[in-house]
Amino acid sequence: MTHTVNAPPTGLTGTDLLVTVGTVRELCDGIREVTFTGAQALPSFTPGSHIGVRWGTGVQNSYSLTGPCTDPDHYAICVRRDDAGRGGSAWIHALRVGDQVVITPPRSAFAPISVARHHVLIAGGIGVTPILSHVRAAVQWHRSFEVIYSHRPGQDALADELQNLCGDRLTIVHDVDDFWSHLTPILEDSVLGTHLYTCGPAMMIDAVAAAATAAGWPAQRVHSEQFSSAVATGGAPFAARLRRTGVLVPVGADVSLLEALLERGVAVPNLCRQGVCGECRVTVRGGRIDHRDFYLTDDERAEGDTMMPCVSRAAGDQVELEL
Amino acid sequence: MTAAAVFTQNDIENFPFPFPKDQYRYSANVEPTGQKASTVVGSWGEQRVVIDAHYRRELAERSRILAVDPTRSQCLPHMVPAAWDAMLTLMHELADGYPQHMTLERVIAEPASYRWRNALLDIDQTFTFGAADTLPTDPLTYICSQIQEDVVLLDQRDDQMWGDAGVVTFAADWSFGFDVGMSFLQIHGPVPRLHSEKIATRAHEFIKRLQPAQSYRRTNWTLTVDGKLDTSTETYPEWGKDRRTLAEGPLEDVGDRLFLRTEVQHLIRLPQSNAVMFLIRTYLLPFRAIATIPEWADRLYRVLEDLPVDMADYKGITRTRGPGLQWLRTHGPVVP
Ligand code: FES
């Protein structure tokens, strides 16, 4: 692969951060820790947050932040090289100290539950990364917690840090039988108000969730890491035909219809850009709509003749607008 | 001296006049923060936390209220991290907005320790983030004794928002002590038309999806007699009669006694706790000051005249809007 030193892979968009690689450390075979420093202050973040690392035009990989979260002087991620992947992890493994990288600001999708009386944190392999940041916070706020870290022998990324923070609250297991013989009694005996957090391979997440359900845990107390973010404005590219002028406005995968219209100089009133306020409503004359707003009623959606372009998109390859 | 006497030309120029149209209805009128909003005589909204000429007077009023009624400051035990998060976020905000008066310096990397200085109040405090014994009081009360905004912290869990902490001393006709621990939808239950118009549900969905570092604002408004900041449910016996004495008193007094009250509300997702901070800043302006701006007087008149009875009831202005309208016609520049 080619790797251009000191050249950020994509242009900065609105909230993106430009950061510099501060350190690179091989934690174990195939797993690297990379830290980033910023020219500007890096935002604090919620334990379990991830950042997107942009490694090419329009492509990014999400990685959990593992370092301290209060006005941090650096961000740390751990990346397992995945040679079968699209190339993002290999790109990161080729980074050198001093390289510049574009990242998205931290997003939280796996936050600790404030009212939990006890936290059971389960890490599988590289899924240890958000668990480490949960543990830091649990120690800081004197929360009751315990950790099960399952990894293959030798693949013990971050085990030392975890051990220092957890002491005897950490159990490390190397095979499936050990894992279940440790977890099963926890699932059966846990005090009311215990929350379960799993980050690891999808198979592990599903198996833990199934076992918890079987042991009578309500779904609200079983959490797992998934990189879903807020309202997604992106999607497949499409085009909007403006009925009054006949102009065809292309809408790229990463931009909203509203942005594309404004870019073309079509004045569409707007406020929230989150599909809530109702300002940007436009009349639709043709084409199916992928409604993603919180504004229209179900009836209005069913009519199919109006949409909120700040979040909603065409369901096919074109919509025709009364503009 | 009347309450109106402390308000100056500056207050007019910085007043967030809340009516874009001649008719007012509830809407999710949210917009991103930090943009200057222009009015016919000035502007507002460049900063999320604002210090103005009433700083010391309003802080003194807040500490008086808290001394009388400590329940105005509440923090359910699970909200302690969010309270620290809110304090630190507000300190950054103040240090960025008012560098000539306030600074926040990191003095130790780990555990995160800071030196906070607020020259306006002669404060110089070193503290460790999360360590209760390094501050003179709990973090939320501490920072709320240095800002004019009321604060409510919303926790997010079970796909809902919960109002589980806050310092609210300037509530307009509601009670934080009563609402604490309730969900967002429960808190907004009593607002007429809000549920039928699905606005509360929409606002709730919106808040749940706020991302870290994102913030939005909206305004709300009501009328208040004698410029009282604290018109909360708890102290109704003290201020409730003001509406009657205004309605029954001489019309000439209405210009100085009746105030348009705008709340500028900010919603800010806190970075470390994932809680949402709701800031409520109250601005007051007597009708006599509003009457100096013909466009405002006229707009206020139309809005008050048009407001449906259920909404006027909920806002608590059923008794006062009549005298307000009459005063604007008689002593103000309004032609009905
Ligand atoms: S801009 Fe608010 S709904 Fe689209």
Side-chain angles (χ1 to χ4, degrees):
Chain A
M1 73 163 241
T2 56
H3 169 238
T4 321
V5 174
N6 287 329
T10 63
L12 288 173
T13 69
T15 56
D16 280 353
L17 304 169
L18 180 62
V19 293
T20 306
V21 176
T23 60
V24 173
R25 193 158 65 106
E26 190 90 6
L27 295 182
C28 52
D29 191 29
I31 298 182
R32 276 196 183 194
E33 180 192 73
V34 180
T35 66
F36 301 116
T37 56
Q40 266 98 45
L42 297 171
S44 299
F45 59 89
T46 302
S49 293
H50 61 272
I51 55 170
V53 177
R54 299 199 188 276
W55 56 273
T57 309
V59 283
Q60 64 177 61
N61 281 19
S62 292
Y63 296 102
S64 299
L65 293 170
T66 59
C69 57
T70 307
D71 289 328
D73 61 2
H74 70 277
Y75 283 161
I77 59 172
C78 287
V79 179
R80 186 169 56 86
R81 186 179 173 126
D82 177 6
D83 290 319
R86 293 178 305 160
S89 65
W91 188 89
I92 290 167
H93 271 241
L95 287 172
R96 315 258 183 284
V97 171
D99 286 355
Q100 290 197 304
V101 177
V102 176
I103 62 171
T104 66
R107 293 221 158 188
S108 167
F110 189 50
I113 303 301
S114 63
V115 294
R117 289 208 221 142
H118 183 68
H119 305 256
V120 176
L121 302 162
I122 301 171
I126 196 63
V128 68
T129 50
I131 299 298
L132 176 59
S133 101
H134 271 241
V135 166
R136 284 185 204 285
V139 170
Q140 157 148 43
W141 300 109
H142 312 291
R143 290 177 181 139
S144 167
F145 74 97
E146 64 193 291
V147 181
I148 306 173
Y149 180 12
S150 166
H151 63 74
R152 281 191 238 124
Q155 295 280 295
D156 59 345
L158 304 173
D160 292 347
E161 281 95 330
L162 266 186
Q163 191 71 63
N164 287 339
L165 289 162
C166 298
D168 61 5
R169 289 176 286 197
L170 172 66
T171 305
I172 293 188
V173 297
H174 296 300
D175 63 54
V176 177
D177 292 342
D178 267 4
F179 178 73
W180 287 111
S181 64
H182 194 77
L183 181 60
T184 306
I186 296 177
L187 292 182
E188 277 160 9
D189 304 338
S190 274
V191 293
L192 205 67
T194 298
H195 283 247
L196 191 64
Y197 308 78
T198 312
C199 185
M203 249 174 58
M204 179 193 212
I205 291 175
D206 294 345
V208 170
T213 308
W217 288 58
Q220 306 92 286
R221 293 204 274 123
V222 180
H223 314 277
S224 60
E225 167 68 314
Q226 37 175 294
F227 294 127
S228 70
S229 38
V231 188
T233 50
F238 63 97
R241 180 170 298 282
L242 309 185
R243 212 170 142 238
R244 294 193 195 141
T245 52
V247 171
L248 198 64
V249 180
V251 183
D254 286 338
V255 296
S256 68
L257 172 55
L258 177 68
E259 285 165 334
L261 291 169
L262 295 174
E263 187 96 323
R264 276 301 282 263
V266 185
V268 179
N270 65 88
L271 263 180
C272 71
R273 299 200 179 189
Q274 301 265 326
V276 174
C277 71
E279 263 323 283
C280 67
R281 181 173 186 151
V282 293
T283 302
V284 179
R285 291 290 177 222
R288 281 180 310 114
I289 307 158
D290 173 9
H291 290 289
R292 302 181 182 185
D293 64 280
F294 307 105
Y295 181 80
L296 297 173
T297 63
D298 294 344
D299 293 346
E300 286 169 325
R301 282 162 193 249
E303 293 284 324
D305 60 359
T306 173
M307 76 186 288
M308 315 309 294
C310 62
V311 290
S312 300
R313 306 177 68 86
D317 54 11
Q318 227 187 79
V319 280
E320 191 174 343
L321 304 176
E322 187 61 60
L323 283 172
Chain B
M1 187 178 96
T2 63
V6 302
F7 292 86
T8 65
Q9 187 60 27
N10 239 330
D11 292 303
I12 298 178
E13 281 161 22
N14 299 331
F15 190 70
F17 189 74
F19 305 123
K21 304 182 201 132
D22 282 348
Q23 189 184 61
Y24 175 83
R25 292 294 181 271
Y26 291 114
S27 67
N29 55 339
V30 288
E31 57 181 348
T33 59
Q35 303 165 350
K36 187 160 103 173
S38 296
T39 66
V40 282
V41 281
S43 67
W44 61 278
E46 263 175 303
Q47 310 211 44
R48 299 190 293 189
V49 179
V50 176
I51 291 174
D52 66 16
H54 304 282
Y55 189 58
R56 285 185 181 74
R57 186 175 63 83
E58 293 188 4
L59 293 183
E61 176 67 351
R62 172 167 293 144
S63 83
R64 182 193 67 76
I65 293 165
L66 285 172
V68 175
D69 180 5
T71 68
R72 306 295 187 91
S73 172
Q74 304 240 14
C75 185
L76 299 185
H78 64 271
M79 293 303 276
V80 168
W84 281 95
D85 199 7
M87 182 190 83
L88 195 62
T89 302
L90 288 165
M91 285 177 173
H92 277 302
E93 192 79 20
L94 288 165
D96 288 349
Y98 300 92
Q100 67 280 36
H101 303 306
M102 319 218 180
T103 54
L104 183 67
E105 252 177 280
R106 182 76 164 254
V107 290
I108 304 175
E110 290 302 325
S113 304
Y114 299 83
R115 180 178 182 187
W116 164 247
R117 277 178 288 185
N118 176 349
L120 293 176
L121 300 175
D122 270 326
I123 287 172
D124 185 343
Q125 177 78 38
T126 301
F127 65 90
T128 300
F129 187 76
D133 58 356
T134 59
L135 281 183
T137 167
D138 70 274
L140 207 52
T141 311
Y142 182 72
I143 197 61
C144 288
S145 69
Q146 303 179 50
I147 56 171
Q148 290 161 269
E149 284 74 10
D150 278 335
V151 177
V152 175
L153 301 182
L154 300 162
D155 189 32
Q156 183 157 1
R157 58 178 194 274
D158 292 344
D159 214 23
Q160 291 217 51
M161 304 302 303
W162 303 83
D164 287 347
V167 173
V168 180
T169 51
F170 305 149
D173 228 349
W174 63 289
S175 162
F176 178 62
F178 179 71
D179 285 356
V180 74
M182 298 204 320
S183 74
F184 179 89
L185 292 173
Q186 287 165 340
I187 292 171
H188 291 84
V191 185
R193 292 163 186 254
L194 215 51
H195 274 298
S196 55
E197 292 173 17
K198 282 203 184 173
I199 290 170
T201 327
R202 254 187 256 150
H204 187 229
E205 289 304 312
F206 174 67
I207 295 169
K208 274 166 30 190
R209 280 169 179 77
L210 261 187
Q211 286 300 308
Q214 266 191 341
S215 65
Y216 284 81
R217 73 178 179 215
R218 67 181 292 267
T219 58
N220 196 2
W221 67 276
T222 187
L223 302 180
T224 296
V225 181
D226 293 336
K228 285 197 178 129
L229 285 164
D230 178 21
T231 55
S232 57
T233 320
E234 292 95 326
T235 51
Y236 180 82
E238 286 157 41
W239 56 266
K241 61 180 182 311
D242 298 343
R243 295 172 177 167
R244 184 172 46 80
T245 62
L246 180 100
E248 291 170 2
L251 184 64
E252 301 80 69
D253 290 358
V254 170
D256 288 320
R257 288 196 66 196
L258 192 59
F259 288 69
L260 175 59
R261 171 186 188 122
T262 306
E263 286 179 4
V264 175
Q265 306 173 344
H266 279 93
L267 284 162
I268 301 170
R269 174 71 75 178
L270 293 175
Q272 294 188 63
S273 59
N274 204 39
V276 169
M277 176 163 70
F278 186 47
L279 298 175
I280 311 160
R281 175 62 177 274
T282 299
Y283 295 88
L284 292 160
L285 209 57
F287 270 42
R288 186 176 301 286
I290 289 168
T292 63
I293 316 295
E295 292 91 333
W296 284 4
D298 191 71
R299 177 64 52 87
L300 174 60
Y301 185 89
R302 313 273 158 223
V303 167
L304 288 178
E305 191 182 38
D306 167 80
L307 199 71
V309 172
D310 57 343
M311 290 176 72
D313 267 347
Y314 182 74
K315 285 188 177 290
I317 64 172
T318 305
R319 269 170 185 258
T320 50
R321 80 161 150 177
L325 288 167
Q326 204 187 342
W327 187 88
L328 287 169
R329 276 195 309 265
T330 318
H331 297 277
V334 174
V335 183

